[in-house]
Amino acid sequence: MFTLPILSQVVLNGLSLSSIYILVALGFTLLFGIMRVVNFAHGAFAMLGGYALYYLYGVYQLPYPIAILGGAVLVAALALILERLVFRWFYHKMFQSMIALLGLNLALVYAAVLIWDVNERSLPSVSDQMVEFLGVSIPADRLIIMGIAGVVLALFWLFVTRTREGLAMRAAAMDPDIAATQGINTRRIYMLAFFIAVFMTALAGGLYAQSYALSPFMGERPLMVAFIVVILGGMGSVPGAALGGLLLGFTESFLSTFYGASISSFVSFGVVIALLVLRPWGLLGKPE
């Protein structure tokens, strides 16, 4: 049962899922950690990232790295309009943001239905080649997807820990009032954090649509994943989002391979419920 090819497939699927889940969760936890916004429109941005990739790669046939990154940048840039019109009015208003952004999510999803209808679309494969490693055949497109996600996550970590803007974001997350007294332009930091959060979410949506299917309702799964991951890791905790994404990705990969997708979902939600009871602030979060 636990043969090398099967275990290798579990690890590969776990890494692939984890890379997407971490991107999704980081976008969600970034907005919550800095602006205290519960972004129920998170899934809609992931869905738009999928459609951006569909057109740039599937229709206009741009090179895949340019299409996936360019599509995420395009969605994030357009989302800045929504940041100015909607999001900015709900910063540090957690309950109000939940209600307002749930409405925004529905508006974006059904606008997508009107534009693209409800039918699922599939994106062309990145590569049909297989890579042999330790006697195991690995789809090259999975490696490309993991590589792109890994590079983006590494750049994000360097940005947060090594740049002036990244340190300013961390300061604003700790206490925006004190950050403002130290000369940090919190309004600019909020816009930057919003852009990065939507970029990573749209990127994850494109990768998810590439691996599964594209439709106006595909954002429901990334939104659910974001909630599970940030609850596991701790609301507002960037390291927690990374840890939660890894745990969920590998857990789902293992359980779905050996026991089926239904058991995988059951266990995932069961763990979240247990964690909410025993440690409601998450694995790396802090009690308030």
Side-chain angles (χ1 to χ4, degrees), residues 9 98 100 118-119 127 136 188 203 249 252 257:
Q9 193 65 38
M98 294 170 64
V118 297
N119 295 325
S127 173
V136 179
R188 178 173 171 272
L203 177 64
E252 284 195 358
T257 299

Short mmCIF file of all heavy atoms in Angstrom, two decimals, residues 9 98 100 118-119 127 136 188 203 249 252 257:
data_model
loop_
_atom_site.label_atom_id
_atom_site.label_comp_id
_atom_site.label_asym_id
_atom_site.label_seq_id
_atom_site.Cartn_x
_atom_site.Cartn_y
_atom_site.Cartn_z
N GLN A 9 3.69 10.35 -4.92
CA GLN A 9 2.53 11.08 -5.43
C GLN A 9 1.85 11.86 -4.32
O GLN A 9 1.39 12.99 -4.52
CB GLN A 9 1.53 10.08 -6.04
CG GLN A 9 0.44 10.73 -6.88
CD GLN A 9 0.99 11.42 -8.11
OE1 GLN A 9 1.91 10.92 -8.74
NE2 GLN A 9 0.43 12.57 -8.45
N MET A 98 -17.56 42.00 7.24
CA MET A 98 -18.08 40.68 6.88
C MET A 98 -19.37 40.80 6.08
O MET A 98 -19.54 40.14 5.05
CB MET A 98 -18.32 39.85 8.15
CG MET A 98 -17.06 39.50 8.91
SD MET A 98 -17.40 38.79 10.54
CE MET A 98 -18.24 37.28 10.08
N ALA A 100 -20.62 43.56 4.48
CA ALA A 100 -20.46 44.32 3.23
C ALA A 100 -19.74 43.50 2.17
O ALA A 100 -20.14 43.48 0.99
CB ALA A 100 -19.69 45.61 3.51
N VAL A 118 -22.56 30.00 -16.55
CA VAL A 118 -22.20 29.12 -15.43
C VAL A 118 -21.39 27.90 -15.86
O VAL A 118 -20.98 27.10 -15.01
CB VAL A 118 -23.47 28.64 -14.68
CG1 VAL A 118 -24.22 29.81 -14.08
CG2 VAL A 118 -24.38 27.84 -15.62
N ASN A 119 -21.17 27.74 -17.13
CA ASN A 119 -20.47 26.55 -17.62
C ASN A 119 -19.00 26.56 -17.20
O ASN A 119 -18.35 27.61 -17.20
CB ASN A 119 -20.56 26.45 -19.14
CG ASN A 119 -21.98 26.25 -19.61
OD1 ASN A 119 -22.77 25.58 -18.95
ND2 ASN A 119 -22.33 26.85 -20.75
N SER A 127 2.21 21.92 -19.68
CA SER A 127 3.15 21.02 -20.34
C SER A 127 2.61 19.60 -20.26
O SER A 127 2.03 19.20 -19.25
CB SER A 127 4.53 21.09 -19.67
OG SER A 127 5.40 20.11 -20.20
N VAL A 136 9.81 7.56 -10.42
CA VAL A 136 8.43 8.05 -10.38
C VAL A 136 8.25 9.10 -11.46
O VAL A 136 9.09 9.99 -11.64
CB VAL A 136 8.11 8.67 -9.00
CG1 VAL A 136 6.68 9.20 -8.98
CG2 VAL A 136 8.31 7.63 -7.91
N ARG A 188 -1.06 54.66 2.52
CA ARG A 188 -0.26 54.06 1.45
C ARG A 188 0.05 52.60 1.76
O ARG A 188 0.01 51.74 0.86
CB ARG A 188 1.03 54.86 1.28
CG ARG A 188 1.98 54.31 0.23
CD ARG A 188 3.16 55.26 0.02
NE ARG A 188 4.17 54.66 -0.83
CZ ARG A 188 5.16 53.90 -0.38
NH1 ARG A 188 5.27 53.66 0.92
NH2 ARG A 188 6.05 53.40 -1.21
N LEU A 203 -3.40 35.03 -8.06
CA LEU A 203 -2.41 34.06 -8.51
C LEU A 203 -2.82 32.65 -8.09
O LEU A 203 -2.78 31.71 -8.90
CB LEU A 203 -1.04 34.40 -7.93
CG LEU A 203 0.11 33.44 -8.26
CD1 LEU A 203 0.41 33.44 -9.76
CD2 LEU A 203 1.37 33.82 -7.48
N GLY A 249 -2.65 21.04 3.17
CA GLY A 249 -2.29 20.46 1.88
C GLY A 249 -1.85 19.01 1.99
O GLY A 249 -2.32 18.14 1.24
N GLU A 252 -4.82 16.69 3.27
CA GLU A 252 -5.77 16.38 2.19
C GLU A 252 -5.16 15.41 1.19
O GLU A 252 -5.83 14.49 0.71
CB GLU A 252 -6.21 17.66 1.49
CG GLU A 252 -7.22 18.47 2.28
CD GLU A 252 -7.91 19.51 1.42
OE1 GLU A 252 -7.57 19.62 0.22
OE2 GLU A 252 -8.78 20.22 1.95
N THR A 257 -5.81 10.32 -0.99
CA THR A 257 -5.16 9.23 -1.71
C THR A 257 -5.54 7.87 -1.15
O THR A 257 -5.84 6.94 -1.89
CB THR A 257 -3.62 9.39 -1.67
OG1 THR A 257 -3.26 10.62 -2.30
CG2 THR A 257 -2.94 8.23 -2.40
#
